[in-house]
Amino acid sequence: MTEAVASEAPASSEDRMLETLSRYGRATREALQRYLQAQPAAPYLDDLIADYPSRGGKMLRPAICIANARVFGGGLETAVRCAAAVELLHNGLLIHDDIQDGSAMRRGRPTLHALHGAALAINAGDATIFTALRTLVDGLRPLGSAAAAQVLEISTVMARETAEGQALELGWRDHNVINLTDADYFRMALKKTAWMGMIWPAQLGLVVGSGGYASPERVVRFGYFLGVAFQIEDDLRNLCVDPGYGKEMNGDLFEAKRTLMLIHVHRACSPAERARLDAFLAQARDERSAEDVRWLAGLMERLGSIRHGRAVAAAMAGAAAHEFGVAYGGLPPSPDHDFLEGLVAWIFERP
Amino acid sequence: MTTPEGAPDGATTSRGTSAPKARVRRAPPDRTGPIRAAGPAAAPSAADASGQAAADGAAGSSINEQIAQAVRAGYDVIADNIQQGRQAAERFRQGDYNFRDVPDDVQSVLQRLIQLARELSTTTFDVCDRLLAEWRPTSPPAPPTDGPPPFRPRPEPKQAPAPTAAPGNGAGPGQINLAVQFEGAPDALARTLWLDRPSQPAEAQTFTSTPLASADPTAPVISQVVFKMDLSQGGLVAVVTVPPGLPTGVYSGLVRAPGDGVPLGVLAVEIR
């Protein structure tokens, strides 16, 4: 594989981010195709495995992995296999997430279980995750046992943290846990979003790039604050007119998802409002009315919950920018260095 | 880009009004840098901060205070998470683990991993190498032409050129990675990253090193060096006990395995 070299420098930081995402996304998809084009295709399986990856996506996680690998001294060719593993694992978990959440749409199209039923979708999710492990093994083979042992360690930690985060979010919803704090939300976002989405890809790239000689702990705080800011911004967008990816506006409110804004409005409202809110949260999803959702959205606006969410997201992004300096400050400047630094602003600028 | 909105506390100047007012000034900031301290002695805990935020509600505190508390809570959360991870790693590394501390659903996985580590730490390098053979450096696998790669690893090519070990790439074939732990000298630095494999299977505990001496013949030596196997640190580990007051400099000694006439390499450490 050859490394593409841009003939002209893109005009703006947004262009540069898009160009890097596009270039690393393309390289990752090429690597993915090797694992997804089974001949002959197994019936009821291989088409399902290839479905979500074929729907596009920002490819942010693979780009974080590759950029970290290059920043820490590695090359694109080795890193791209690990990036493909990151993307495959992400897609496998998405299949399962959609079933757990009862989601109807994913990336603008019906979810896999809506198309094929939960049983086949779960099976395809399992197979996708194991295919990701195969891809990871191929990516690690050239690196030696020390780096592989490090990857094994950070991957098992990531798997555990991610499962804990998903359990927290589902448990809060299913058991109608109401009295949550901002810190509870940060803890959930750390585990559910940041570890799999930011920390692990960065750690993987660091280990691959450094050959196992840099400490994976170095990038944890940067990935954490980046991930929390990313999650809050995602939750904010769900309250907007166009949440993107075919998601339903205010879908998080219908699902009573424990977002930072919901936690804020619950502690800021009057006793009478809290009684109505608690009754709303105690309902099943299909019992919640559009009128109640509109009332809750208006309450969040009036009591400053949206403003609070935006401010905390910006503050977390600020902390991420600070931690970027700690984690990457001593490394030589490069386009990949700029890309990683630019992720902080990209959280809010992304399409 | 989303930015924090202005403080809704009425503190802005009322331009255009006829009545002159005293210039509104911000109070001096309590701090000018990020909150890094996560310990309870230096900053309120996440629970305290969140409890305070709950008490504040939307009316009491300014947005800046709430954000400061949020950032502090954020640092508390990650500090707590990292601390838990370190404690878990330390327990598992030392074998001082208690399964009652571990949730049921991961016990079986951890038990297998720990059992594997225990077996590897008491057996031979050959076993270790076989189990880790899939990770060994070989030529990168070619893209499959007739479908996805098999789940079983491909057989390694017999004529594959032997890559040489280079800094940053770990040990090559015929070599083993070496990690060095220092006791009594936290700033000491390992100058040796790998050694040759012994010609015959040997347990790590049977490795020996000659006293580590510096170029200055009058300087004291480091006589206590023991070896062990620890997969969490990549394989072979040398534990070097540095005597107090040892002058700075580079100290080195020869590492041998029983039955091997040729040393496995030079263990060099830098005392700083």
Side-chain angles (χ1 to χ4, degrees), chain A residues 133-320:
Chain A
L133 292 180
R134 170 75 248 176
T135 313
L136 191 60
V137 167
D138 283 349
L140 295 176
R141 185 168 288 136
L143 298 177
S145 56
Q150 269 194 329
V151 168
L152 182 66
E153 188 171 337
I154 62 172
S155 300
T156 52
V157 169
M158 176 277 296
R160 176 70 197 180
E161 294 282 353
T162 304
E164 285 184 2
Q166 183 74 350
L168 270 183
E169 188 175 62
L170 295 175
W172 289 347
R173 185 192 67 188
D174 294 348
H175 296 275
N176 195 25
V177 178
I178 294 171
N179 292 316
L180 296 167
T181 65
D182 286 1
D184 291 326
Y185 175 85
F186 296 151
R187 193 170 294 111
M188 185 275 293
L190 162 66
K191 292 172 180 292
K192 176 177 173 285
T193 303
W195 217 282
M196 167 69 197
M198 314 287 172
I199 297 172
W200 183 59
Q203 289 184 317
L204 204 50
L206 174 148
V207 173
V208 169
S210 70
Y213 284 98
S215 168
E217 200 172 289
R218 180 170 175 164
V219 295
V220 167
R221 285 186 176 84
F222 171 65
Y224 159 64
F225 283 110
L226 194 68
V228 172
F230 190 95
Q231 183 63 62
I232 298 171
E233 173 66 11
D234 236 25
D235 295 342
L236 281 166
R237 290 184 179 203
N238 192 270
L239 301 171
C240 301
V241 175
D242 180 17
Y245 279 112
K247 290 176 186 170
E248 177 185 19
M249 180 184 173
N250 288 334
D252 287 351
L253 297 185
F254 273 109
E255 290 181 14
K257 188 176 165 188
R258 270 50 175 178
T259 63
L260 196 67
M261 286 68 75
L262 186 70
I263 292 169
H264 180 276
V265 79
H266 188 267
R267 72 174 177 244
C269 62
S270 70
E273 290 164 339
R274 186 169 298 129
R276 181 176 177 181
L277 177 55
D278 287 349
F280 172 82
L281 295 175
Q283 291 175 326
R285 189 194 194 283
D286 54 5
E287 293 173 348
R288 295 183 185 119
S289 68
E291 182 188 353
D292 279 345
V293 166
R294 279 195 299 275
W295 166 78
L296 179 53
L299 192 67
M300 284 180 167
E301 187 69 48
R302 181 165 61 83
L303 296 182
S305 304
I306 306 297
R307 186 175 63 236
H308 176 71
R310 285 187 180 138
V312 173
M316 292 295 148

Side-chain angles (χ1 to χ4, degrees), chain A residues 17-35:
Chain A
M17 296 297 291
L18 285 169
E19 190 273 333
T20 303
L21 283 169
S22 170
R23 185 156 46 97
Y24 289 162
R26 197 165 51 245
T28 304
R29 286 194 185 92
E30 284 175 11
L32 274 178
Q33 288 309 309
R34 301 174 190 170
Y35 297 92

